[in-house]
Every structure is written in structure tokens, then in C-alpha cells.
Amino acid sequence: MASAILLISLLFSSAVYAWPGTVNKTGSICTVVPSVDGSDDAPGIISAFEQCGQDGSVVFMNETYNVQSVMQTTGLNNVSIHLYGTLLWSTDTGYWVNNGLPLGHLNMTTAWILGGNDITFMGHGYGTFDGQGQFGGYDLAANTSNMPGRPISLTVANTTNSAFSGLRFVQSQFWTTAITHSENLLWEDIYINSTSNSTWGTQNTDGTDTFWCNNITFSRWSVTNGDDAIAPKTNSSNLLIQDSVFYGGNGVAIGSIGQYLDTFEFIENVTAERIICYSCEYVGYVKTWTGVQQGYPPNGGGGGIGYVKNIVFRDFVAINTWVAIAHITQCTSYVGATGGCDTCKFQISNVTWGPGVGNTVTSYLAELQCSAAAPCPDINLVDSFGLIGTNGTERQITCSNIVDPTFSCTGSAGSDQY
Ligand SMILES: *[C@@H]1O[C@H](CO)[C@@H](O)[C@H](O)[C@H]1NC(C)=O
Ligand SMILES: *[C@@H]1O[C@H](CO)[C@@H](O)[C@H](O)[C@H]1NC(C)=O
Ligand SMILES: *[C@@H]1O[C@H](CO)[C@@H](O)[C@H](O)[C@H]1NC(C)=O
Ligand SMILES: *[C@@H]1O[C@H](CO)[C@@H](O)[C@H](O)[C@H]1NC(C)=O
Ligand SMILES: *[C@@H]1O[C@H](CO)[C@@H](O)[C@H](O)[C@H]1NC(C)=O
Ligand SMILES: *[C@@H]1O[C@H](CO)[C@@H](O)[C@H](O)[C@H]1NC(C)=O
Ligand SMILES: *[C@@H]1O[C@H](CO)[C@@H](O)[C@H](O)[C@H]1NC(C)=O
Ligand SMILES: *[C@@H]1O[C@H](CO)[C@@H](O)[C@H](O)[C@H]1NC(C)=O
Ligand SMILES: *[C@@H]1O[C@H](CO)[C@@H](O)[C@H](O)[C@H]1NC(C)=O
Ligand SMILES: *[C@@H]1O[C@H](CO)[C@@H](O)[C@H](O)[C@H]1NC(C)=O
Ligand SMILES: *[C@@H]1O[C@H](CO)[C@@H](O)[C@H](O)[C@H]1NC(C)=O
Ligand SMILES: *[C@@H]1O[C@H](CO)[C@@H](O)[C@H](O)[C@H]1NC(C)=O
């Protein structure tokens, strides 16, 4: 009897703490119990979603979970996810570069694909994704743009009617999140911070990128990174970005787009409002690939067709903007390639920046380069940015192929591809 009790208590305690993959299921609530020996918690996490991903809850305790392998948790329905602890991605860069799950676009990969209907994913302002990107991202890529295989931390795919809130993402290896084939989502109170402590930068640590998405609200984001804060891409519509603070990155990027030869894509109805940008490259910009295909994604391409329209960046505060408040480029091309800026047929129209206040540390307020093959109508700078200061007495707004500008252009826009 005593030995039976001992055996049962041993089994019980070992079921809780000894090996990875443990799930404590009570009714429809699955609590993922982390391993104590540092082994991979991904199988346990996947198991929790399998057991409680329909009409249930998945709970991560206030503990650290080691994620050492890719996860796919899709087809969820009516599930609440509570992240009270930290998901710590391993630094086995060789594994991630070779085993990422395909994003299904741009030859990119991801570490976790999550999807379904009626998902409520809550971090309660505390739950954290830690990509340990210093090793697996910044130092590994060593300033190489879009180094193939660096995975996106979290991809939300084929998801409808869902909300993500109170989540923290630090040290992303690559893009922090991506959202594809999804509709009716709310993302609020999201904290993102990818900061390098070495000589290598944090490029490609985008906050999020959207593809085939409709009706998404991004509210109260804090993004510190070295690239786009939020970047609506291929076939994105009706996106609202509001009440957010961005530090040091590139601001809101519409695109890049037009990367696939003769392929039709669009971005329509994106409003970014009440954004505070500290030392951002731009507040908001639009970038398309040139009309000449050179190479393949992620770092090459071009020759796409389609349109970007109905884009608004309003009520912003931009402090020490380090290139310009407003930017359009149709010069994006294969890394290192130049020229072709007038070949792009991708149509940009109806883009408005302002009202806004702040300053640039350059003499530039706006650099607006549209392609001669598709000049841009209805480009607006509210009050010609009269409330925005520049460094020095020159206030430059450069333009190429802007149709009937309502502001004074001070020269032609250059061909830098950023
Ligand atoms: C399993 O979960 C239940 C309810 O959340 C809790 O009461 C119980 O202590 C947990 N068991 C273990 C072994 O953690
Ligand atoms: C959603 O799941 C919860 C259990 O987590 C259940 O109580 C509720 O009835 C489900 N809602 C629907 C619409 O099925
Ligand atoms: C998690 O635990 C830490 C101490 O390890 C504590 O400071 C923190 O408040 C806890 N967070 C939550 C959400 O319970
Ligand atoms: C991307 O995929 C295309 C095929 O879709 C392929 O031809 C190309 O070489 C790939 N590029 C890279 C960098 O893997
Ligand atoms: C999402 O849906 C698309 C289009 O229906 C499909 O091609 C893709 O495989 C799905 N992705 C996932 C992760 O389920
Ligand atoms: C957009 O999505 C939200 C959920 O974030 C939903 O409440 C709203 O009804 C959707 N709007 C439309 C027009 O479908
Ligand atoms: C981002 O992280 C860095 C390094 O840990 C820190 O110095 C900085 O204050 C953080 N930024 C924000 C906005 O929290
Ligand atoms: C940079 O960050 C990494 C990861 O947190 C750490 O191991 C390393 O000691 C840090 N280096 C410096 C110079 O602070
Ligand atoms: C890497 O790029 C960052 C900007 O993203 C820059 O600050 C840094 O100087 C670059 N490092 C080297 C060694 O070129
Ligand atoms: C963009 O917004 C306009 C005006 O609200 C609307 O008529 C149009 O259908 C929207 N476009 C898309 C793709 O939803
Ligand atoms: C331009 O875009 C704005 C914002 O979406 C919209 O309200 C307006 O109707 C658009 N103008 C035209 C001419 O479509
Ligand atoms: C103004 O520009 C000069 C020359 O580029 C630079 O050294 C200086 O730091 C800038 N001042 C401000 C306030 O941005």
C-alpha cells in the first residue's frame, strides 16, 4: 500500500515536472507544464492545442518555455490562450535556418504558424516571446538583408474574428510577426523591442507584415526595431493603425509590393493615426519594386502590377525623423542593383500625410519618387507640412512624376531604393 502510494505520487510528480510535453488538462483547460531539464517544450505546446484548441483554453504558466522546434497549431476554434510566462526560442541558428515552416510567400519561413477562428490570445501585458535574436538574427545575418531562413517568430494564418492583446515580443530573429489570409482581427497593447548590442543592426525585425488580409486594427503598439514598424503588403485592405509609438525604425511601410513579375497585387484603405515616431526614418512610406525583374524573393524580383490607394497618415508627432516625414519610392530592386526607377507600372494614388507636427534632422520634409511609367495622382501633404521643422533653413520637398502637386516641389526626387 505504502509503496503503491509512493509509486502513484512519483508518477504524479513526474507527470508534472520530469519530462517535456506535459499537459495538465482539467475540463477544457490545458495548462502547458514546462520541462525542468531545459528540453524542448514545443511538443507539449502542440499537444495542448490539439487537446484544447476547440472550445477550450490553453494556458502558459508564469514560467519559461524552451522552444527548440517549429510549431504548427492551426484549425483552432473558440480558444482562449493565456501567456503568463516567456516563450524562449533556442539559439540553434542552424536548426531554424534549415527547418522553418514556409510562409507561403516571398520564400520566407516561420517558427510558429497559428490559426483558426475566434481565437483570443492574451499576454496580459506580461507574456513574452523572446527570439534571442542577438545570436540567431543580428550577429548571424551581420547586416545581410533578408538572410534566407531566418524565421518569422509568429505567423497568424487563415484566421478570422480573433484578438491578440497584451503580448510582448523581444529580440525577434527576423520579422516579429506576419499575418496572412486573415480577416477581422484586433491586435492591441503589443510591445515589440529588438535592440542589438553589437555592431550588427536589427534590419528585417519588422513589427508585422500583412498578406491577403482584410479588416485588421492595430491599436496601442510600442515598436522599437531597425526596420518597418508595421508593413501592409500583398492584397491588404481596410487596416487601421492607431495610438502607437515607434522608436528608431522605418515607420509605417506600405509595401514593398510588386515583387512578382506580371502578378496583380493591391493595398487599399490603410489609415495610420495618432502615431508618435521618435527617430524614425520616415513616418510613413510607400515602396514598390521596379518594373524590371531581377532575381527572386526574398531579395530580388520586380515587374509586378496593381495599385496602392487610399492611404492616410494623420495626426502624427514625429521627433528627430532621420530621413524625411513622407516618402515614396518605386526604385526597390535586387540588393545592390540601381536604376529602373521609371519602369514600374504599379499605380500609387491617393496618399495623404498630415496633419502632423515634429521635425526632421535633415533638410527634407518629403521625398516623393513615382515612376514615369505610372505617375502618382492625389498625393497630399496637409498644409505643406507647415508645422514641421527641418534642420537648417532649406525645406525640401522633392518630387518625380507627382501629378498636379498641391505643394511646392523644390527639386526632383532621387533614386535611393529605401
Ligand atoms: C492541474 O490543474 C488543476 C486546475 O488548474 C490544478 O488544481 C492542479 O493542481 C494541477 N495539477 C498539477 C499537477 O499541476
Ligand atoms: C466556447 O468554448 C467555451 C469553453 O471554453 C464554451 O463554454 C462556449 O460555449 C464555447 N462557445 C461556443 C459558441 O461554442
Ligand atoms: C511572474 O513571476 C515573477 C517572479 O518570478 C513576478 O515578478 C511576476 O509578477 C509574475 N507575473 C505574473 C503575471 O504573475
Ligand atoms: C525563391 O523561389 C523561387 C521559386 O518560387 C526560386 O526560383 C528562387 O530561386 C527562390 N529564391 C531563393 C532565394 O530561394
Ligand atoms: C491557408 O489558406 C491558404 C489558401 O486557402 C492555403 O493555401 C494555405 O495552405 C493555408 N495555410 C495554412 C497554414 O493553413
Ligand atoms: C472588423 O473586425 C472587427 C473585429 O476586430 C469586427 O468587430 C468588425 O465587425 C469587422 N468589420 C467588418 C466590416 O466586418
Ligand atoms: C528596448 O530595449 C532596450 C535594450 O534592452 C532598452 O534600452 C530600451 O529602453 C527598450 N525600449 C523601450 C521602448 O522599452
Ligand atoms: C549582448 O546580448 C547577448 C544576448 O543577450 C549577451 O549574451 C551578450 O553578453 C551581450 N553583449 C554585450 C556586449 O552586452
Ligand atoms: C550594420 O547596420 C547598422 C544599421 O542597421 C549600422 O548602424 C552598423 O554600423 C552596421 N554595421 C557595420 C559593421 O557595418
Ligand atoms: C475601401 O474603402 C472604400 C470606402 O470606404 C470602400 O468603398 C471600398 O470597398 C474599400 N475597399 C476594399 C477593398 O474593401
Ligand atoms: C482617398 O482616400 C481617403 C481615405 O481612405 C478616402 O476617404 C477618399 O474618398 C479617397 N479619395 C478618392 C478620390 O477615392
Ligand atoms: C543638422 O545637420 C547637421 C549636418 O548634417 C548635423 O551635424 C546636425 O546634428 C543636425 N542637427 C540637428 C539638430 O538635427
Side-chain angles (χ1 to χ4, degrees):
M1 186 63 184
S3 62
I5 289 169
L6 181 64
L7 182 62
I8 286 164
S9 66
L10 272 174
L11 277 173
F12 192 69
S13 59
S14 61
V16 178
Y17 285 118
W19 62 74
T22 310
V23 177
N24 178 1
K25 185 167 191 291
T26 305
S28 61
I29 303 170
C30 286
T31 302
V32 190
V33 182
S35 65
V36 285
D37 60 0
S39 56
D40 189 8
D41 288 312
I45 296 169
I46 292 167
S47 173
F49 280 97
E50 281 168 357
Q51 295 182 58
C52 293
Q54 313 289 323
D55 300 315
S57 303
V58 172
V59 179
F60 295 86
M61 302 166 9
N62 185 1
E63 302 277 354
T64 295
Y65 294 83
N66 293 293
V67 181
Q68 296 167 9
S69 53
V70 295
M71 302 190 288
Q72 178 155 359
T73 54
T74 47
L76 308 173
N77 190 47
N78 181 29
V79 62
S80 297
I81 307 165
H82 296 273
L83 179 60
Y84 292 108
T86 296
L87 300 173
L88 185 69
W89 266 257
S90 77
T91 56
D92 182 353
T93 55
Y95 171 81
W96 294 111
V97 166
N98 290 309
N99 293 281
L101 301 170
L103 172 68
H105 199 58
L106 300 177
N107 285 5
M108 285 182 184
T109 60
T110 188
W112 186 5
I113 301 180
L114 177 112
N117 178 54
D118 197 5
I119 299 167
T120 309
F121 196 149
M122 291 161 280
H124 304 282
Y126 190 84
T128 301
F129 288 65
D130 185 344
Q132 301 213 70
Q134 189 67 50
F135 313 102
Y138 329 139
D139 294 348
L140 178 73
N143 283 10
T144 305
S145 173
N146 290 323
M147 193 196 116
R150 281 169 66 192
I152 300 161
S153 300
L154 173 67
T155 294
V156 170
N158 299 9
T159 296
T160 47
N161 310 320
S162 295
F164 300 78
S165 65
L167 293 165
R168 302 175 74 255
F169 295 87
V170 299
Q171 303 301 84
S172 309
Q173 293 185 46
F174 188 68
W175 293 356
T176 304
T177 60
I179 311 173
T180 77
H181 298 99
S182 294
E183 196 166 36
N184 306 341
L185 308 187
L186 174 62
W187 288 73
E188 61 182 0
D189 300 305
I190 304 294
Y191 174 88
I192 293 173
N193 191 340
S194 293
T195 299
S196 176
N197 68 9
S198 77
T199 182
W200 306 116
T202 53
Q203 63 260 61
N204 307 127
T205 54
D206 298 21
T208 197
D209 287 68
T210 69
F211 306 87
W212 292 277
C213 280
N214 181 48
N215 185 30
I216 304 187
T217 296
F218 303 92
S219 196
R220 297 191 298 266
W221 282 45
S222 167
V223 182
T224 304
N225 68 354
D227 216 304
D228 302 331
I230 293 180
K233 288 184 162 66
T234 305
N235 299 9
S236 295
S237 54
N238 303 310
L239 307 186
L240 180 60
I241 303 162
Q242 56 183 196
D243 302 311
S244 294
V245 188
F246 303 145
Y247 301 89
N250 299 358
V252 172
I254 306 299
S256 61
I257 192 161
Q259 201 165 349
Y260 287 92
L261 183 66
D262 295 333
T263 301
F264 183 91
E265 300 173 313
F266 70 93
I267 302 172
E268 181 173 353
N269 300 345
V270 180
T271 295
E273 61 185 12
R274 301 186 300 272
I275 305 296
I276 303 175
C277 241
Y278 292 99
S279 300
C280 296
E281 186 172 24
Y282 315 108
V283 171
Y285 70 124
V286 183
K287 53 175 168 175
T288 77
W289 287 69
T290 69
V292 183
Q293 185 194 33
Q294 295 187 74
Y296 296 92
N299 282 320
I305 52 175
Y307 66 87
V308 166
K309 71 176 183 185
N310 304 357
I311 311 294
V312 181
F313 306 96
R314 67 180 171 214
D315 302 328
F316 56 79
V317 178
I319 310 295
N320 295 339
T321 310
W322 54 273
V323 177
I325 302 289
H327 184 52
I328 295 175
T329 178
Q330 302 208 263
C331 289
T332 303
S333 187
Y334 193 77
V335 171
T338 54
C341 298
D342 283 323
T343 59
C344 183
K345 297 194 182 77
F346 209 94
Q347 180 68 61
I348 298 169
S349 67
N350 193 14
V351 186
T352 298
W353 285 265
V357 297
N359 71 303
T360 65
V361 301
T362 64
S363 56
Y364 291 90
L365 290 165
E367 296 174 332
L368 307 171
Q369 183 276 323
C370 288
S371 162
C376 304
D378 206 0
I379 303 300
N380 309 290
L381 308 179
V382 173
D383 297 331
S384 301
F385 286 167
L387 294 174
I388 297 170
T390 55
N391 181 358
T393 50
E394 272 186 301
R395 294 170 58 80
Q396 300 200 54
I397 296 176
T398 56
C399 307
S400 293
N401 304 303
I402 302 296
V403 179
D404 298 334
T406 55
F407 41 85
S408 300
C409 297
T410 57
S412 73
S415 57
D416 80 279
Q417 59 165 281
Y418 306 101

